[in-house]
Amino acid sequence: MTNFIQPYADYAGEWLPVLLEAMGTTALLSVSAFALSLVFGLLLALCRNTRWRALRRCVALYVAAVRGVPLLAILFLLYFGLPGIGVTFDAFTAAVIGLALAFAAQVAELLRAGLMAIPAGQREAAFAVGFTPYQSFTLIVLPQVVRISVAPLIVTFVSLLKDSSLASLITVDELVLTGRAMATEYFLPLHIYLAVGVCYFLIAWPFSLLSKRLAPPAAR
Amino acid sequence: MNPLLSVTGLTKSYGAVEVLKGIDFDVAAGEKIALIGPSGSGKSTCLRCLNFLEKPSAGAIHLDGERIGVRLGRPMSDRQLAPQRAEMGMVFQLFNLWPHLSVTENVAIAARKVRGLPAKEAQELALDMLAKVHMTHRADASPLELSGGQQQRVAIARALAQKPKLMLFDELTSALDPELVHEVLKVMEELAAEGRTMLIVTHEIAFARDIADRVLFLDGGRIVEQGPARALILSPREPRTQAFLRQIRH
């Protein structure tokens, strides 16, 4: 057992800064992509509830399409495919966009469910006191949707965090790619990938706890 | 003197179903009017058309001489309707309080966001209105912690805080447990005594008789009979009104 732990003691000084930097990249990538998917997902959810049938159909098609295509294929398309028509992103940007496009579909479905859970009377009461549609949405409807959706949104964030590892395949220096480089350099894949796993867990765990605390009590 | 509210030729259809078939009536300032009638007679729809929560199919509504919901011959958007709706306070059957806001905030928020009152004044206004409905003691509670009767009284305070020209009450006791009806009706009597203009859709015939100046009896989307509250309820002339009131008494 001491033999197993020994490399960690030997290389802590070298590995820690590298892993911490990669953790930072993974966190930044995930948070940026999630923020973007929130904005995009909210737009999609609103379009899905609109009066215009053509728009609703387009959004439904988008959601279905994105759900049916592997994230890795989307990332390859953005990073290796789009330069073919003259559109070039750096790897990090391509990963943010790809993750955001894919997860916006999930966020949209969550928010749409939240929107549908708000009784029509809530908006009617808002109109009756003289709120504009914009005020009714931002002051009355959206805060309630956020309350309903916050716990499942955090769960979605955690799965985005884990899926961000796919960005290693389009050369983003996040945790997995960094781990692979270290594994080749030190010939200690078991130790290094274990450490990489722990790094993901350390980011994800607090959010898992948070989502459990924010989830509404099952019985009320 | 011009009426405060005038309704002419109001009709409302959902597809092929005509719910309102031409409603005409006027309301003078300070007048209290009860709309009674069987379920499906169109009385709630009629009330909801007044502030355009339902868009009338035809007809005209004027409040204080101003045409509601139509400007220069064109229907107004919900955004354009907002200031007109603010002139009418509405109380709903299911209260529709906003559960993410405190009781006080439910009453104060429109004063700030619609009328532009400073936060402190809006807060004071809200507490005044809550005092009117005897709910000051739950000012900091969440609506979810209140009984139905308490929620409805807060909803009344919310409508009062609009300083509306007209109050619309849509079956405000229908969703309440019988023992809670009384506290809401008591508040209504106090409001009536202040000389407010009130339109009340209700099933409480005794309440309508005591509180209203005039009663409109609706059936099948038309006003079948109208007249002074006491006279209409005690001695209705139309057979349909007689049948309805007989049924309710039994």
Side-chain angles (χ1 to χ4, degrees), chain A residues 64-128:
Chain A
V66 166
R67 284 187 155 181
V69 176
L71 178 56
L72 189 56
I74 296 176
L75 293 178
F76 279 4
L77 182 78
L78 286 169
Y79 187 63
F80 301 119
L82 284 188
I85 53 164
V87 183
T88 315
F89 300 113
D90 65 79
F92 186 83
T93 312
V96 169
I97 295 174
L99 283 163
L101 289 177
F103 277 83
Q106 290 193 31
V107 168
E109 291 297 281
L110 274 178
L111 292 179
R112 190 168 79 105
L115 279 169
M116 291 196 306
I118 310 296
Q122 291 290 309
R123 191 155 172 268
E124 286 181 356
F127 276 174

Side-chain angles (χ1 to χ4, degrees), chain B residues 37-63:
Chain B
S39 319
S41 60
K43 50 195 193 308
S44 277
T45 307
C46 177
L47 201 72
R48 291 163 59 83
C49 279
L50 298 182
N51 65 354
F52 270 64
L53 285 184
E54 304 285 348
K55 307 275 177 350
S57 307
I61 296 154
H62 288 85
L63 180 70

Side-chain angles (χ1 to χ4, degrees), chain B residues 187-236:
Chain B
V187 165
M188 292 291 286
E189 280 160 21
E190 290 163 8
L191 294 183
E194 291 178 358
R196 291 173 192 278
T197 316
M198 298 160 68
L199 246 79
I200 306 158
V201 168
T202 185
H203 286 124
E204 307 273 342
I205 299 299
F207 166 66
R209 180 194 63 208
D210 295 339
I211 203 174
D213 302 313
R214 202 143 54 91
V215 170
L216 311 183
F217 173 70
L218 270 76
D219 193 14
R222 292 181 210 281
I223 298 179
V224 173
E225 182 171 358
Q226 56 175 306
R230 206 155 264 282
L232 187 140
I233 287 169
L234 295 179
S235 47

Side-chain angles (χ1 to χ4, degrees), chain A:
Chain A
M1 197 62 201
T2 24
N3 275 348
F4 185 78
I5 293 174
Q6 198 53 46
Y8 287 113
D10 293 345
Y11 294 116
E14 288 170 47
W15 290 359
L16 259 180
V18 181
L19 280 175
L20 277 177
E21 199 191 330
M23 247 175 110
T25 305
T26 286
L28 185 66
L29 171 61
S30 304
V31 169
S32 317
F34 190 65
L36 206 59
S37 71
L38 279 181
V39 176
F40 190 37
L42 180 59
L43 282 176
L44 289 174
L46 290 177
C47 293
R48 193 89 195 254
N49 276 7
T50 177
R51 272 173 298 182
W52 297 293
R53 200 209 301 220
L55 192 54
R56 285 203 308 265
R57 286 264 168 85
C58 288
V59 173
L61 188 69
Y62 174 84
V63 171
V66 166
R67 284 187 155 181
V69 176
L71 178 56
L72 189 56
I74 296 176
L75 293 178
F76 279 4
L77 182 78
L78 286 169
Y79 187 63
F80 301 119
L82 284 188
I85 53 164
V87 183
T88 315
F89 300 113
D90 65 79
F92 186 83
T93 312
V96 169
I97 295 174
L99 283 163
L101 289 177
F103 277 83
Q106 290 193 31
V107 168
E109 291 297 281
L110 274 178
L111 292 179
R112 190 168 79 105
L115 279 169
M116 291 196 306
I118 310 296
Q122 291 290 309
R123 191 155 172 268
E124 286 181 356
F127 276 174
V129 300
F131 284 150
T132 61
Y134 177 76
Q135 286 177 316
S136 305
F137 182 71
T138 54
L139 299 172
I140 304 303
V141 176
L142 190 58
Q144 296 188 58
V145 172
V146 168
R147 276 195 178 188
I148 297 173
S149 314
V150 68
L153 280 175
I154 292 172
V155 173
T156 306
F157 172 74
V158 171
S159 72
L160 185 152
L161 170 75
K162 292 186 287 186
D163 283 0
S164 75
S165 56
L166 289 171
S168 63
L169 294 166
I170 58 167
T171 74
V172 178
D173 283 320
E174 45 66 77
L175 273 168
V176 166
L177 187 59
T178 305
R180 215 169 66 180
M182 288 164 73
T184 349
E185 189 180 338
Y186 292 93
F187 281 114
L188 287 165
L190 179 60
H191 291 79
I192 283 163
Y193 286 127
L194 258 177
V196 165
V198 169
C199 287
Y200 275 106
F201 181 73
L202 286 178
I203 308 178
W205 196 38
F207 288 102
S208 300
L209 292 181
L210 190 64
S211 78
K212 276 192 194 118
R213 276 197 56 174
L214 292 174
R220 229 188 174 162

